[in-house]
Amino acid sequence: MSFFSILFALLIEQARPLKAGNFLHIQVRNFLSWAVRQFDTGQTQHAALTWSVVVLLPALASALVHWALVLWVGWIAAVVWNVVLLYLTLGFRQFSHYFTDIRDALDAGDEDAARALLARWMHVDASDLPRSEIVRQVIVHSVISAHRCVFGVFAWYSLLSGLGLGPAGAVAYRMGAYFSALAQRPPSPKSLLLSPALGEYVARWWHWMDWVPSRLTALGFAFVGSFEDAIDRWRSLEAVRPGDNDGIVLAATAGAVHIALTELDLQNGAPAPRTGHLRAVVGLVWRTVVMWMVVLALLSLARLLG
């Protein structure tokens, strides 16, 4: 069920991608804002309650619907439910339009347009970035987005689906990622204000939720890229910044395609990324998707034969 659910969700997402600012994202943001207003009092126990309401409650609801469909309707209906939720939580097209537009602007020599698109994407000031830094930032944000929107969802969905929880893993991971991203945004009049206790709680649990997926993503990049260089960059980063999940993904990416993405890479004399490396990173990500889909297909086949 897992293999076909992911496959159908990816195909549908490629044909009919969700648009930015769609109805679902608005409702998720409203739900998160409501939970923070209702339960975030600045105390640790209420921080745990807020996080549970935002992350665990939707995951539990998705699992209950999955079980109800399996018991009372049939496994085909459960597969459809899995595909729907994976379509809403999984996919490249949730961020790839920014990547494509920035790459096209750089190819056309319009660096001002590329800076404006990068600023809109990441909500940062990119007005003074040189071309090489624009390329590096695009690769960094694209790889992290691919990890959180694709490979992390792969990992959590496959794990909890194998335990009979349906799409609960995908929902929990994406809600955790969304909550963490909002908590890390710089303060602004429109930003959601979290108490220090809630911000610390969200960051701590997101670290543990992403610990295994980040290392699986890094391992996948190593397998389909330059394995020795990727593992060497990974080890070097772990020695300097142990436990940095995003850093591990970036270090493996940098080693796999022989570029500098982190400060450690620059210190070791790795070459700065160029526009041509954008296509190399796209190829790396797609090869990793194919690899994990093959692994998942083999595991599903082994389960059927066993």
Side-chain angles (χ1 to χ4, degrees):
M1 180 186 293
S2 299
F3 171 76
F4 289 107
S5 297
I6 292 176
L7 178 62
F8 290 144
L10 284 174
L11 292 175
I12 296 171
E13 199 263 346
Q14 289 296 310
R16 296 294 299 272
L18 286 172
K19 296 181 180 179
N22 59 75
F23 176 79
L24 174 68
H25 288 170
I26 294 173
Q27 295 307 310
V28 169
R29 175 60 186 266
N30 291 339
F31 170 67
L32 197 152
S33 299
W34 171 82
V36 170
R37 289 195 304 270
Q38 294 295 319
F39 304 111
D40 183 19
T41 64
Q43 301 180 17
T44 302
Q45 62 268 30
H46 292 159
L49 176 61
T50 306
W51 186 86
S52 299
V53 169
V54 170
V55 177
L56 298 184
L57 186 61
L60 177 61
S62 69
L64 290 175
V65 173
H66 172 80
W67 290 334
L69 291 173
V70 170
L71 292 174
W72 297 326
V73 181
W75 67 270
I76 295 180
V79 169
V80 172
W81 173 244
N82 280 248
V83 171
V84 169
L85 287 189
L86 283 171
Y87 170 71
L88 298 175
T89 57
L90 172 73
F92 294 100
R93 302 295 289 275
Q94 299 179 28
F95 66 91
S96 63
H97 59 285
Y98 284 113
F99 177 91
T100 302
D101 292 343
I102 294 173
R103 184 188 63 190
D104 291 345
L106 290 173
D107 287 340
D110 191 351
E111 295 179 8
D112 289 337
R115 293 186 186 95
L117 288 166
L118 181 62
R120 189 185 311 161
W121 182 13
M122 298 311 302
H123 307 283
V124 297
D125 182 10
S127 57
D128 296 327
L129 293 181
R131 182 183 181 90
S132 61
E133 182 62 15
I134 296 173
V135 175
R136 191 186 75 83
Q137 290 286 343
V138 170
I139 293 176
V140 166
H141 297 314
S142 298
V143 168
I144 295 300
S145 296
H147 165 63
R148 294 181 181 177
C149 295
V150 181
F151 301 117
V153 179
F154 269 21
W156 272 90
Y157 172 73
S158 301
L159 174 62
L160 295 194
S161 177
L163 297 176
L165 296 176
V171 173
Y173 182 83
R174 289 294 282 137
M175 291 300 292
Y178 188 59
F179 204 177
S180 174
L182 287 179
Q184 294 174 9
R185 282 187 181 178
S188 70
K190 296 182 179 180
S191 63
L192 184 63
L193 297 179
L194 277 62
S195 69
L198 180 57
E200 180 182 349
Y201 195 90
V202 169
R204 182 168 67 251
W205 274 98
W206 170 245
H207 171 79
W208 289 115
M209 286 185 73
D210 200 37
W211 196 91
V212 170
S214 62
R215 283 149 181 80
L216 290 176
T217 299
L219 193 61
F221 288 167
F223 277 131
V224 302
S226 177
F227 183 84
E228 291 185 1
D229 288 343
I231 297 299
D232 182 62
R233 303 273 188 102
W234 179 349
R235 288 174 176 171
S236 297
L237 185 103
E238 279 276 30
V240 177
R241 298 204 305 267
D244 184 353
N245 294 338
D246 288 350
I248 287 172
V249 173
L250 295 177
T253 304
V257 294
H258 306 292
I259 56 176
L261 292 180
T262 66
E263 295 179 1
L264 186 61
D265 296 331
L266 295 172
Q267 293 172 5
N268 293 334
R274 301 186 301 274
T275 308
H277 288 118
L278 295 174
R279 290 177 174 80
V281 170
V282 171
L284 179 79
V285 170
W286 275 112
R287 291 195 303 273
T288 307
V289 170
V290 172
M291 184 197 73
W292 286 123
M293 289 298 292
V294 170
V295 170
L296 189 58
L298 291 175
L299 290 175
S300 299
L301 180 62
R303 184 183 303 172
L304 289 175
L305 295 178

